[in-house]
C-alpha cells in the first residue's frame, strides 16, 4: 500500500519509512533489555502517539500492557499554549508498576512535564518516557527522556501519527512542512 499521494508538494520527506522502522527495532531491543521480567504498562499519548506505540510494541520481547491517555495543549494551533488538559484519563492502576509513557513528539516539553507530575502522584515503581521525535531547540523546561527516536530541528513535522490540522496522520513517513 502506498498512500504517498496524500503528501502535497510542500511536504519534504525528513525520515523515511525504512529509517523509522530500523530505529524502532533498536528502541524495542533497548526496552526489552531494560524491562526483562517486569511486564511494563506502556501509555500511549493520543492522538499523535498511537502509530508509534503500535509499531514499537511489536519490537518488544517482553510481556507488556497498554493503556492510553489523551491530553491537549495546542487546540488547533501550532504553538504550545502551556495549558494542558486531560481529555481522557488513564484506565490502568499504575501504582507500583513499571510505566513507559509513549509520546509522538516533545516540543516545548510542557506536556511531558505535566504528565510526569500527574503520573508520579500515582507512585509507579519506574516511570520512563519514550518519544519518537524531540525538538531540543524548542524545549523550554527540563525533561527527562529515556528513549528518543530522532532529534529534529525546529520545523513543523507531519505523518506517522503526527497531524496537520488533524489530517495526514496516516502518512507512512515523516515530512517537514515548508510554508
Ligand atoms: P509540547 O507540550 O510543546 O512538548 O508539545 C507536545 C505536543 O505538541 C505533541 O504531543 C504533538 O501533539 C504536538 N506537536 C508539537 N510539535 C509538533 C509538530 O511538529 N508536528 C505535529 N505535532 C506537534
Amino acid at each position: 500500500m502506498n498512500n504517498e499521494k496524500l503528501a502535497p508538494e510542500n511536504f519534504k520527506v525528513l525520515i523515511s519509512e525504512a529509517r523509522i522502522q530500523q530505529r524502532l527495532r533498536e528502541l524495542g531491543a533497548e526496552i526489552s533489555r531494560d524491562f526483562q521480567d517486569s511486564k511494563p504498562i506502556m501509555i500511549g499519548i493520543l492522538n499523535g502517539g498511537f502509530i508509534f506505540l503500535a509499531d514499537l510494541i511489536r519490537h518488544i520481547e517482553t510481556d507488556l500492557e497498554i493503556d492510553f491517555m489523551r491530553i491537549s495543549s495546542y487546540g488547533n494551533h501550532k504553538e504550545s499554549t502551556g495549558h494542558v488538559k486531560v481529555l481522557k484519563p488513564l484506565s490502568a492502576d499504575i501504582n507500583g508498576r513499571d510505566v513507559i509513557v509513549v509520546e509522538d513528539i516533545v516540543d516545548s516539553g510542557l506536556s511531558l512535564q505535566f504528565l510526569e507530575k500527574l503520573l508520579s502522584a500515582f507512585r509507579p515503581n519506574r516511570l520512563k518516557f519514550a518519544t519518537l521525535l524531540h525538538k531540543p531547540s524548542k524545549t523550554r523546561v527540563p525533561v527527562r527522556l529515556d528513549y528518543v527516536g530522532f532529534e529534529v530541528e525546529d520545523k513543523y513535522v507531519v505523518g506517522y501519527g503526527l497531524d496537520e490540522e488533524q489530517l495526514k496522520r496516516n502518512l507512512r513517513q515523516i515530512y517537514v512542512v515548508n510554508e
Side-chain angles (χ1 to χ4, degrees), residues 22-41:
Q22 173 54 33
R23 187 72 187 117
L24 295 197
R25 273 191 284 279
E26 294 165 5
L27 290 176
E30 238 184 280
I31 293 173
S32 304
R33 271 197 306 275
D34 296 349
F35 290 86
Q36 284 167 25
D37 316 315
S38 110
K39 298 197 179 70
I41 303 185

Side-chain angles (χ1 to χ4, degrees), residues 74 80 103-111 135 156-157 162:
Y74 280 35
S80 178
E103 268 274 23
D104 54 353
I105 183 163
V106 173
D107 181 284
S108 68
L110 292 165
S111 306
K135 289 182 188 167
Y156 199 78
V157 290
L162 294 137

Side-chain angles (χ1 to χ4, degrees), residues 151-170:
E151 291 197 343
V152 294
E153 282 174 47
D154 175 16
K155 298 249 173 72
Y156 199 78
V157 290
V158 297
Y160 196 76
L162 294 137
D163 74 304
E164 184 189 50
E165 292 174 8
Q166 302 306 328
L167 301 178
K168 312 298 180 190
R169 295 189 197 274
N170 50 331

Side-chain angles (χ1 to χ4, degrees), residues 38-41 92-99 119-127:
S38 110
K39 298 197 179 70
I41 303 185
D93 178 6
I94 59 167
N95 184 255
R97 298 288 305 270
D98 285 351
V99 173
L119 297 174
S120 10
F122 294 105
R123 304 208 163 277
N125 180 41
R126 277 198 279 175
L127 181 58

